[in-house]
Amino acid sequence: MNDPLAHVRDLFDLDDDVVYLDGNSLGAPPRVVAERVREVVREQWGRRLIRGWSEGWWEAPERIGNRIGRLLGAAPGQVLVADSTSVNLFKALMAAVRNTDRAEIVVDAGTFPSDGYVARSVAELTGLALRPAPPEDLDLRDTTAVVLLNHVDYRTGRLLDMAELTAQAHAVGAKVVWDLCHSAGVLPIELDALGVDLAVGCTYKFLNGGPGSPAFIYVPRHGQAAFEQPLTGWTGHEVPFAMDPEYRPDPGVSRARVGTPDIISMLALEAALEVWDHVDLRDVRAKGLALTAHFRSLVEGLPGIEVITPADEWRGHQVSLRHPDADRLVERLAERQVIGDHRPPDVLRFGFAPLYNTFDEATRAATTLKELL
């Protein structure tokens, strides 16, 4: 099959004997990362020592945020790399409901559990009600303060209509927070154009930042002055090194910072993002749809298998299957060098990263699954 991204695979450090289809949990490492980390440790830290903070370290959260922002349809100065997705989600939700006279937080009923845990904590801290609702029937009201939605469902791979659901929230005067963990690096996103209020996401999946790499938060420029987050750490101060006893937030997106950034992980992420200089997101999306369609065509009808990922374009870059022996099948696939993952109780997930996965790998994974069944 025609693959306009075939050349990009060479930018990754991959074992050709392994079919790696778990990029929706942890992306593969670009080759440049290992050498960059060595350089950071040996030279920037090892030789420059504390001088590194004035030689690019301090500005890294904003600089790398701008790089991610280009993949999200966000103009410079609106995306910050910091902390974890859960921490950023807590900041976003608390900021969204601060000083509200509304009564409820609505959360995607199928949300990633950690998002649900954070939303419940915010509800308990603020006295608001938490109402889970399916995205197709949110039943938003003039009492809704904020809606939390997952752009791509982590279990099924279903893709939500960001434009339509953002408009629904705004129609009743509510804000919307989008979790982009399974869509950043998957398809073109237009946060600015759609008027999204706030968004968060991780960088270790399809952005290939490495295990535990720092997450990102999007705060649009027009909403930054009103973004009052609850974690008022020193690096979010207007003049951090003044050590002022009174907290005054930075006027821009840097007010979303909290503590000292994790420089080694952050600079590893910056190196990993260089692979995006070689691709067009439209090609990534087209290949992702083609890869998942190809794999789906090979596994539909296999004994005991139910495909639960949408067949139309409203899907991310994963194919999820249901089988009563899913956990054991994932283990046996791994024994044959085909790496997917299992979500209890009975879901097999196969995440396709168009930057490095091939159609031959999709065929090999489907053939191996067929043999096991």
Side-chain angles (χ1 to χ4, degrees), residues 39-330:
E39 191 270 334
V40 170
V41 172
R42 291 175 179 173
E43 301 300 327
Q44 294 186 30
W45 177 19
R47 295 292 177 267
R48 301 306 295 161
L49 299 167
I50 201 168
R51 290 172 289 185
W53 285 111
S54 59
E55 298 172 357
W57 288 359
W58 183 259
E59 302 81 11
E62 292 83 3
R63 182 178 70 245
I64 303 169
N66 286 338
R67 194 160 202 154
I68 292 174
R70 293 199 299 269
L71 304 177
L72 307 177
Q78 300 181 108
V79 177
L80 180 83
V81 173
D83 307 309
S84 67
T85 306
S86 295
V87 171
N88 286 335
L89 180 58
F90 180 72
K91 300 175 195 173
L93 288 176
M94 288 293 288
V97 302
R98 186 182 288 273
N99 300 321
T100 187
D101 58 359
R102 297 192 170 208
E104 69 170 8
I105 299 169
V106 174
V107 61
D108 181 345
T111 192
F112 187 72
S114 183
D115 287 15
Y117 304 155
V118 171
R120 182 165 299 282
S121 291
V122 171
E124 291 172 350
L125 288 167
T126 59
L128 274 67
L130 181 66
R131 180 168 63 85
E136 61 273 13
D137 186 21
L138 291 173
D139 187 25
L140 302 181
R141 311 154 187 175
D142 59 9
T143 57
T144 305
V146 64
V147 186
L148 169 61
L149 296 166
N150 295 91
H151 199 194
V152 173
D153 185 283
Y154 81 102
R155 281 195 188 88
T156 68
R158 178 179 65 163
L159 170 67
L160 298 185
D161 188 334
M162 182 179 286
E164 170 61 26
L165 292 171
T166 299
Q168 281 186 30
H170 291 171
V172 298
K175 295 180 179 178
V176 62
V177 177
W178 284 95
D179 181 329
L180 308 179
C181 284
H182 286 84
S183 60
V186 172
L187 68 159
I189 300 172
E190 297 294 339
L191 295 180
D192 285 355
L194 297 180
V196 169
D197 298 289
L198 295 158
V200 301
C202 66
T203 63
Y204 51 79
K205 299 182 190 293
F206 290 108
L207 295 181
N208 310 300
S213 57
F216 63 83
I217 182 168
Y218 164 80
V219 185
R221 194 174 300 281
H222 65 80
Q224 288 172 4
F227 182 79
E228 298 182 28
Q229 61 127 326
L231 302 175
T232 49
W234 76 285
T235 66
H237 194 282
E238 184 179 26
V239 190
F241 291 95
M243 301 302 170
D244 189 340
E246 298 298 322
Y247 183 78
R248 289 178 288 115
D250 183 274
V253 74
S254 297
R255 64 175 49 208
R257 291 174 69 152
V258 181
T260 306
D262 183 340
I263 291 300
I264 295 177
S265 288
M266 193 160 295
L267 297 187
L269 167 63
E270 184 172 34
L273 290 171
E274 291 179 9
V275 299
W276 293 95
D277 296 340
H278 302 267
V279 300
D280 186 317
L281 263 172
R282 291 170 296 184
D283 290 336
V284 175
R285 179 57 172 160
K287 182 180 174 182
L289 287 173
L291 271 171
T292 50
H294 176 61
F295 180 75
R296 183 190 183 103
S297 71
L298 298 174
V299 298
E300 282 182 314
L302 292 181
I305 289 291
E306 175 192 0
V307 182
I308 61 173
T309 299
D312 58 22
E313 65 180 10
W314 291 100
R315 66 178 186 272
H317 291 174
Q318 74 183 61
V319 178
S320 295
L321 313 176
R322 183 168 283 132
H323 189 280
D325 198 22
D327 55 347
R328 178 61 180 147
L329 281 172
V330 168

